[in-house]
């Protein structure tokens, strides 16, 4: 236990000093200069909203988009992805009652083989936006149907993108934190995401790290064309990270930070709902690789679970060699979590509970792998997606069958 505790402490020293300052929460939207003056030449923007069974949250989220105070031309394309709860009807009724941005509601039908439902809907929305006017929009705002925007959100996003010369600007929406389970799990979700994809590394043009937060992505249309998206990432379950990688690899400049004007309005009041939110894509994040799964479980155990076990075990059995590095590692862990709790306006006594939360995430990750091998992995709103290579194989098989059927 002494060696494990020492290893955990060394890991936390490295995370504190060498992981891009992932624990700091000061990465916010860059300040903007007026884009052509407050009433000047602002670029055209198409807001694309993929929606599937979102009737519960749409009045707040879509209402906030319709009310955007944007000086240039902007219109909304809500793509109803096979909803059964009246999502499209509610969207039209909201637009009829609101004197704001123009809204088009459309449905692309069931996704073609090899596409996730969300990206199929995004593809349809982008095509509608490009066909609507000539020239097409300069920017695309890709935002989820459960995301609410402050009235100046679009103005600030576009201004920041133009001022800094960015091709992709993404904000990690402030998730809802109201229930006990949300307080325990949601801030940690953003904390772990930042640890995996340090925002400062993402925002460096010379760094390979790339990520985005799918709830709010402002994308330059020319960068989308250059990166071949969404077609080039049509298999991706974790589509936001795949999108950022495609844009950065094609030479685009990207930026990711925490939001002040963008909020998720989707409630996750019970543990089961939060569990499904995480587990549906956790194994996909590990590329469905059993060795990566084992390494991840071992890493979480050493980094997050070993410190309190070493401290308590060392104190109980009189082993200061285990207790002291365990206590130091736990203290570092707790200290790095405090800024995220402050960002979410949560009590700081939650910080020492991070090992318990990490244990839950470990179990969610294992459950994600179990569900995958049972054929229920990457499931969301009634759809289950195969791993990318399986989708490509199936697609190639259908293409080959079609060629044989068309032969002499």
């Amino acid at each position: 236990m002494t060696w494990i505790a020492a290893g955990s402490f060394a890991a936390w020293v490295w995370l504190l000093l060498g992981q891009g300052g992932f624990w700091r929460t000061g990465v916010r939207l860059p300040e903007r200069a007026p884009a052509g003056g407050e009433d000047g030449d602002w670029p055209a923007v198409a807001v694309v909203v993929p929606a599937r069974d979102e009737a519960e949250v749409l009045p707040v989220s879509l209402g906030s988009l319709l009310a955007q105070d944007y000086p240039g031309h902007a219109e909304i394309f809500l793509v109803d992805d096979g909803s059964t709860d009246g999502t499209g009807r509610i969207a039209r009724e909201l637009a009829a009652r609101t004197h704001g941005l123009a809204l088009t509601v459309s449905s692309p039908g069931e996704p073609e083989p090899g596409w996730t439902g969300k990206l199929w809907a995004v593809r349809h929305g982008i095509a509608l936006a490009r066909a609507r006017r000539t020239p097409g929009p300069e920017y695309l705002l890709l935002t989820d149907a459960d995301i609410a925007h402050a009235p100046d959100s679009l103005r600030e996003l576009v201004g920041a993108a133009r001022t800094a010369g960015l091709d992709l600007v993404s904000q990690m929406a402030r998730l809802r934190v109201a229930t006990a389970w949300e307080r325990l799990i949601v801030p940690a979700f953003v904390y772990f995401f930042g640890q995996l994809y340090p925002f400062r590394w993402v925002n460096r043009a010379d760094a390979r790290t790339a990520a985005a937060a799918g709830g709010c992505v402002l994308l330059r249309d020319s960068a989308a064309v250059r990166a071949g998206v969404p077609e080039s990432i049509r298999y991706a379950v974790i589509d936001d990270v795949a999108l950022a990688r495609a844009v950065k690899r094609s030479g685009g400049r990207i930026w990711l930070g925490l939001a002040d004007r963008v909020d998720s309005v989707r409630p996750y009041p019970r543990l089961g709902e939060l569990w499904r939110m995480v587990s549906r894509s956790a194994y996909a994040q590990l590329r469905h690789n059993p060795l990566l799964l084992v390494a991840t479980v071992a890493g979480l155990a050493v980094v997050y679970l070993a410190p309190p076990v070493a401290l308590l075990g060392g104190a109980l059995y009189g082993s200061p060699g285990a207790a002291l590095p365990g206590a130091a590692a736990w203290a570092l862990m707790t200290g790095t979590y405090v800024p995220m709790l402050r960002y979410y306006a949560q009590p700081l006594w939650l910080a020492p509970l991070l090992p318990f939360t990490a244990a839950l995430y470990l179990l969610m990750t294992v459950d994600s792998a179990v569900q995958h091998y049972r054929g229920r992995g990457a499931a969301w709103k009634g759809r289950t997606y195969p791993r990318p290579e399986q989708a490509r194989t199936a697609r190639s098989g259908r293409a080959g069958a079609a060629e044989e059927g068309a032969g002499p």
Side-chain angles (χ1 to χ4, degrees):
M1 178 58 72
T2 299
W3 287 107
I4 294 177
S8 181
F9 174 67
W12 275 107
V13 171
W14 162 252
L15 288 170
L16 178 70
L17 302 176
Q19 193 64 10
F22 76 94
W23 46 274
R24 296 159 64 185
T25 57
V27 182
R28 307 297 175 86
L29 196 65
E31 292 186 6
R32 66 172 178 87
E38 288 301 306
D39 298 314
D41 183 22
W42 286 73
V45 181
V47 182
V48 179
V49 186
R52 180 174 171 86
D53 293 332
E54 300 288 6
E56 181 181 357
V57 298
L58 214 56
V60 176
S61 60
L62 181 58
S64 73
L65 290 171
L66 292 166
Q68 283 299 297
D69 176 21
Y70 184 67
H73 176 83
E75 56 183 315
I76 303 168
F77 297 86
L78 185 137
V79 185
D80 186 359
D81 179 22
S83 299
T84 59
D85 65 349
T87 288
R89 173 183 54 80
I90 291 173
R92 293 185 182 94
E93 291 174 354
L94 283 169
R97 296 196 304 265
T98 305
H99 299 290
L101 300 187
L103 172 69
T104 298
V105 178
S106 182
S107 178
E110 283 297 305
E112 289 183 357
W115 285 82
T116 66
K118 178 180 177 180
L119 289 173
W120 180 248
V122 167
R123 173 184 181 270
H124 184 72
I126 292 175
L128 285 176
R130 289 171 176 166
R132 176 58 57 87
R133 63 196 306 268
T134 303
E138 184 174 339
Y139 289 95
L140 305 164
L141 175 60
L142 312 179
T143 183
D144 288 347
D146 62 344
I147 301 298
H149 293 254
D152 63 348
S153 173
L154 183 56
R155 179 197 293 256
E156 295 299 322
L157 283 166
V158 172
R162 298 192 96 191
T163 299
L166 298 168
D167 295 293
L168 183 152
V169 178
S170 180
Q171 291 185 287
M172 175 70 73
R174 199 187 302 258
L175 305 176
R176 196 190 91 135
V177 177
T179 68
W181 284 114
E182 287 172 336
R183 292 187 178 95
L184 188 66
I185 292 176
V186 166
F189 177 84
V190 182
Y191 173 87
F192 292 141
F193 184 91
Q195 190 176 88
L196 191 60
Y197 304 104
F199 293 175
R200 288 172 174 79
W201 288 0
V202 169
N203 300 342
R204 283 172 44 190
D206 60 346
R208 296 181 60 185
T209 306
C216 176
V217 177
L218 183 77
L219 176 63
R220 193 186 302 271
D221 187 56
S222 59
V225 173
R226 186 172 61 245
V229 296
E231 286 79 8
S232 63
I233 60 169
R234 60 185 179 273
Y235 305 102
V237 174
I238 308 175
D239 52 86
D240 44 12
V241 174
L243 171 62
R245 285 174 177 164
V247 172
K248 198 167 192 178
R249 284 172 181 167
S250 65
R253 291 192 59 198
I254 70 174
W255 182 92
L256 170 65
L258 295 173
D260 291 315
R261 298 174 174 84
V262 182
D263 298 279
S264 172
V265 296
R266 188 183 303 283
Y268 291 99
R270 292 176 289 275
L271 176 60
E273 292 155 330
L274 287 160
W275 191 288
R276 285 188 291 274
M277 178 190 77
V278 175
S279 67
R280 71 183 179 89
S281 60
Y283 198 40
Q285 183 70 62
L286 301 177
R287 301 194 293 274
H288 303 104
N289 187 320
L291 294 179
L292 282 178
L293 174 66
V294 172
T296 298
V297 169
L300 285 171
V302 170
V303 173
Y304 287 98
L305 307 187
V309 171
L311 172 60
L312 298 176
L316 182 63
Y317 293 103
S319 175
L324 291 178
W330 198 357
L332 287 178
M333 181 196 319
T334 299
T336 62
Y337 192 39
V338 165
M340 187 61 66
L341 290 174
R342 285 178 173 159
Y343 171 72
Y344 272 97
Q346 295 303 303
L348 299 188
W349 59 260
L350 289 170
L353 300 182
L354 188 58
F356 174 72
T357 306
L360 290 177
Y361 274 88
L362 186 155
L363 295 175
M364 293 173 191
T365 303
V366 172
D367 180 60
S368 179
V370 171
Q371 296 307 317
H372 169 78
Y373 290 112
R374 288 180 175 177
R376 298 196 295 267
W380 187 244
K381 294 194 175 182
R383 291 195 180 111
T384 300
Y385 301 108
R387 53 198 294 180
E389 54 268 33
Q390 291 173 339
R392 293 190 188 98
T393 301
R395 187 182 179 92
S396 299
R398 280 186 290 270
E403 289 176 3
E404 289 182 10

